[in-house]
Amino acid sequence: MGNVMHKISSPIQAMRGKKRKREDDDSDGNEDNSDLLDRSMATPKRKKLISTAKYIYQALFKEERNSDITVHALGKVWHLHKVYLSQSPYFATMFNGSWREADEDYVHIEIVDPKITIESLFSVFGSLYMDEVVLEPREIVSILATATLFQLDSLIDRCAEVMIETTNAETAVKYYEAACEYGVKSVKLSTFNWLLVNLLSLYYKTGKWLRLINIELMELLVASPDLYVMQTELSLYTLLRFWTYLKLHVTNDAECEKASSSDDPLQYFAQRQSSLAFLDTPKGRPFVKCFRALRLHNLLNHHVDIKVLKQDNIIPSEWLNEPLFQQWNSMLLIDQSLDKGPKEVDDKLFLDTCIRCGRTLPENEYLKWRWTGFNFGLDLILISDTKTLRVKRHHRTENERLLSLQVKRQFLIRVSVASLNELRQIKHQQTSAIQSIALDKNEEAMLIMFDKELTYPLLISVNMLVVSPSRKSANPAIVGSPTAGPSTARPLKQPRDIASDEESLDASGNNTTVDS
């Protein structure tokens, strides 16, 4: 009987046990849900009332409700509020100091800066009532001028960001001048660097932008060792010649377009009746310091270059005497094996005296080229194989009468490579150290391995020193960066790529082809 009763009661006990377990589970679940609910209700939720700032802007600024100060500027009256205007140190000092306006409800502001407009005043006053500001690039200089007047550092910083983001061919010079005037160092440096890359690769084609460059800025650009010189230094001279013509004869974009498509800028200087060099005339004197910034010794490496300089009669002949003597002396020293090239030169002397060459690599392909001019017996070929840039001392026996016979020749070189975006701003830039290279005849050396971030087209800029410089050869016109037109004889264009056919070098080393 006991066994039977056990068998009957066991399922009942089991059911009871399961029921209790379910009840316990339900109890625990309810307790967990209750805790979660309590925690949820006890946690503050922060939500921004988006309409608050808009309401303040609409009611207090645009509708001018409860105004306690009237501001009169540029013939317009604003009914504003001292508590908001006091965000500006300009107004805070006025309202809280010993100024007469501290106890009055009317302020007249005399605006003397022509860049400040009614529209920029509206934008700047309105920004004091909002937690964000909309900045139109076309009005950014006026807003910067107004923000500077009222000493609004945060707004000045936002203006600087917009200016850096929107620097392009049309705005670069305007932004640079505004940055100088209002002391915005970041914009000054950014726009100057933009011009260093684009002056010769873009501006020489477009007179309407080139003519906007003032004399002081042009001097800095011409003197900079970081200038991307497309082709050789003669390209920089021809650009200066075109720019000078524009400054003298062009006052609007229509005249610029006409000048860019005519031969007038090329013939004007050569056709002058006076035997006096242009820079010695009253018209020419304002441009003296820009032409002084040229590295004249690097303009005398080709007989055609010298012919162009003589025909134009822009530069006084006495300017050329010392550079010509230096070049002749260097050639004699090398010919007699007394100078095998520079080995150790301090960076400043290198940057002040080196020749600047450059070109654009339009596509990711294998290219070989040389820059024209006499390199004191060195026939240097540049080779790009899509991943690297190398230099080769090209030496053929049939050209030995023109080339240095020294077994090893030393030279110094620095390479900069840049990729640009659609606004021609630098997306990525890579610059090598100043390298000392010694090459045997027909020997190659690696100059730079391209970063993966670089994209085509690539702008290549090379600084090179192939003879030992004297201290006198340092350009006295070089004054540092802001932080411290085509020739009739030789048109400004990309150098021809080296073909597989063979051409002998002439006495100046001017040809660009060689047996590859």
Side-chain angles (χ1 to χ4, degrees):
M1 177 70 68
N3 291 336
V4 173
M5 289 296 296
H6 176 73
K7 289 180 180 179
I8 294 174
S9 63
S10 292
I12 296 173
Q13 291 174 351
M15 289 176 65
R16 289 176 178 170
K18 289 180 180 180
K19 183 177 181 180
R20 283 197 302 270
K21 186 174 182 182
R22 283 198 301 270
E23 290 174 351
D24 292 342
D25 290 344
D26 290 344
S27 176
D28 292 343
N30 289 335
E31 186 176 350
D32 289 345
N33 290 335
S34 177
D35 290 344
L36 181 62
L37 186 61
D38 289 342
R39 286 197 302 272
S40 175
M41 296 299 292
T43 304
K45 310 296 182 187
R46 300 183 184 274
K47 299 293 181 181
K48 184 177 180 180
L49 295 175
I50 299 175
S51 61
T52 302
K54 291 183 178 179
Y55 174 80
I56 291 173
Y57 179 79
Q58 179 66 33
L60 299 186
F61 178 66
K62 297 191 74 175
E63 298 179 10
E64 301 179 338
R65 297 183 194 176
N66 303 321
S67 169
D68 59 357
I69 185 70
T70 298
V71 177
H72 183 199
L74 293 180
K76 181 174 173 56
V77 171
W78 284 269
H79 299 287
L80 303 173
H81 307 79
K82 288 184 177 181
V83 67
Y84 288 99
L85 291 181
S86 292
Q87 296 173 81
S88 157
Y90 176 93
F91 286 109
T93 302
M94 182 186 295
F95 297 149
N96 299 318
S98 57
W99 292 78
R100 179 184 62 190
E101 290 83 359
D103 301 318
E104 295 185 2
D105 59 2
Y106 175 87
V107 174
H108 179 263
I109 302 175
E110 191 69 33
I111 304 292
V112 296
D113 189 341
K115 292 186 179 66
I116 297 177
T117 64
I118 290 177
E119 291 76 15
S120 67
L121 285 169
F122 186 90
S123 297
V124 171
F125 287 151
S127 72
L128 299 173
Y129 291 78
M130 288 282 284
D131 57 358
E132 64 179 6
V133 61
V134 177
L135 299 174
E136 283 284 346
R138 294 191 181 279
E139 301 294 330
I140 199 67
V141 173
S142 295
I143 295 173
L144 173 64
T146 310
T148 302
L149 172 63
F150 297 129
Q151 304 167 30
L152 295 169
D153 290 343
S154 179
L155 184 55
I156 291 171
D157 291 342
R158 302 294 81 76
C159 288
E161 291 171 2
V162 171
M163 293 169 79
I164 291 172
E165 291 170 5
T166 59
T167 299
N168 57 46
E170 186 177 346
T171 63
V173 175
K174 180 173 67 173
Y175 285 177
Y176 177 84
E177 291 178 345
C180 292
E181 183 173 356
Y182 302 113
V184 188
K185 292 182 179 179
S186 60
V187 176
K188 184 179 180 181
L189 179 60
S190 173
T191 51
F192 187 80
N193 287 337
W194 188 97
L195 288 165
L196 286 175
V197 172
N198 289 285
L199 179 67
L200 281 140
S201 62
L202 177 66
Y203 268 34
Y204 83 92
K205 304 174 184 176
T206 315
K208 68 177 182 179
W209 297 327
L210 182 62
R211 75 180 182 92
L212 298 178
I213 299 177
N214 62 43
I215 290 174
E216 290 72 22
L217 175 55
M218 184 60 82
E219 180 189 8
L220 288 171
L221 291 169
V222 172
S224 174
D226 298 317
L227 180 67
Y228 275 60
V229 173
M230 293 294 103
Q231 192 74 301
T232 63
E233 298 249 2
L234 184 72
S235 302
L236 185 53
Y237 166 81
T238 57
L239 177 134
L240 266 186
R241 181 181 60 188
F242 182 41
W243 168 79
T244 302
Y245 177 87
L246 295 175
K247 285 292 189 182
L248 291 172
H249 300 285
V250 170
T251 58
N252 56 56
D253 289 351
E255 291 177 353
C256 257
E257 188 173 347
K258 181 180 178 181
S260 298
S261 60
S262 74
D263 292 334
D264 293 347
L266 308 179
Q267 299 172 358
Y268 171 76
F269 296 101
Q271 291 178 351
R272 288 188 315 114
Q273 298 301 314
S274 175
S275 60
L276 195 64
F278 171 74
L279 295 178
D280 283 337
T281 67
K283 279 187 177 181
R285 289 190 187 106
F287 303 96
V288 165
K289 55 186 178 181
C290 294
F291 283 87
R292 274 291 189 191
L294 288 168
R295 304 177 179 207
L296 294 177
H297 59 286
N298 293 330
L299 294 178
L300 306 173
N301 292 337
H302 195 285
H303 69 91
V304 177
D305 298 0
I306 296 175
K307 180 181 178 181
V308 170
L309 294 176
K310 290 179 64 178
Q311 286 178 342
D312 289 341
N313 196 24
I314 296 174
I315 297 175
S317 58
E318 57 268 22
W319 288 21
L320 304 178
N321 293 336
E322 181 65 23
L324 279 169
F325 175 81
Q326 290 174 5
Q327 299 295 71
W328 176 248
N329 187 57
S330 296
M331 188 176 72
L332 292 176
L333 290 172
I334 290 171
D335 184 61
Q336 298 175 36
S337 299
L338 298 176
D339 183 5
K340 296 183 180 180
K343 292 183 179 180
E344 293 183 5
V345 173
D346 66 78
D347 289 0
K348 184 179 186 310
L349 184 58
F350 169 82
L351 294 174
D352 287 354
T353 58
C354 64
I355 188 168
R356 297 164 294 180
C357 304
R359 69 165 297 166
T360 300
L361 305 184
E363 297 177 352
N364 188 359
E365 59 184 358
Y366 183 90
L367 292 172
K368 296 171 72 175
W369 73 92
R370 66 160 64 84
W371 284 294
T372 60
F374 182 67
N375 290 326
F376 300 91
L378 269 179
D379 181 18
L380 295 176
I381 295 174
L382 278 293
I383 305 167
S384 170
D385 62 0
T386 75
K387 293 183 180 179
T388 63
L389 185 67
R390 307 190 308 278
V391 63
K392 178 181 179 180
R393 181 185 174 190
H394 192 65
H395 195 102
R396 296 175 65 93
T397 55
E398 59 267 34
N399 295 326
E400 281 196 341
R401 64 185 181 86
L402 304 172
L403 299 174
S404 172
L405 298 181
Q406 295 176 13
V407 175
K408 272 195 181 293
R409 280 291 301 273
Q410 189 95 16
F411 59 95
L412 301 176
I413 191 167
R414 184 186 75 163
V415 178
S416 294
V417 189
S419 295
L420 309 181
N421 63 16
E422 62 277 3
L423 298 181
R424 297 190 65 86
Q425 299 168 347
I426 296 175
K427 288 194 301 185
H428 188 76
Q429 188 172 31
Q430 181 183 4
T431 301
S432 72
I434 299 171
Q435 303 175 64
S436 177
I437 294 178
L439 293 181
D440 290 333
K441 299 173 184 179
N442 293 311
E443 185 181 1
E444 290 185 15
M446 171 80 74
L447 295 179
I448 195 169
M449 181 173 289
F450 298 146
D451 288 343
K452 293 181 180 179
E453 292 81 3
L454 290 167
T455 58
Y456 286 81
L458 289 180
L459 267 65
I460 304 287
S461 176
V462 172
N463 304 73
M464 192 161 49
L465 192 62
V466 298
V467 296
S468 300
S470 66
R471 288 284 169 178
K472 288 183 179 180
S473 63
N475 193 338
I478 293 177
V479 290
S481 69
T483 56
S487 165
T488 53
R490 298 175 65 205
L492 186 58
K493 62 182 181 180
Q494 290 296 334
R496 290 182 291 139
D497 293 327
I498 292 177
S500 58
D501 58 319
E502 176 183 335
E503 291 187 17
S504 298
L505 295 172
D506 64 12
S508 63
N510 186 43
N511 293 319
T512 58
T513 59
V514 71
D515 188 351
S516 60

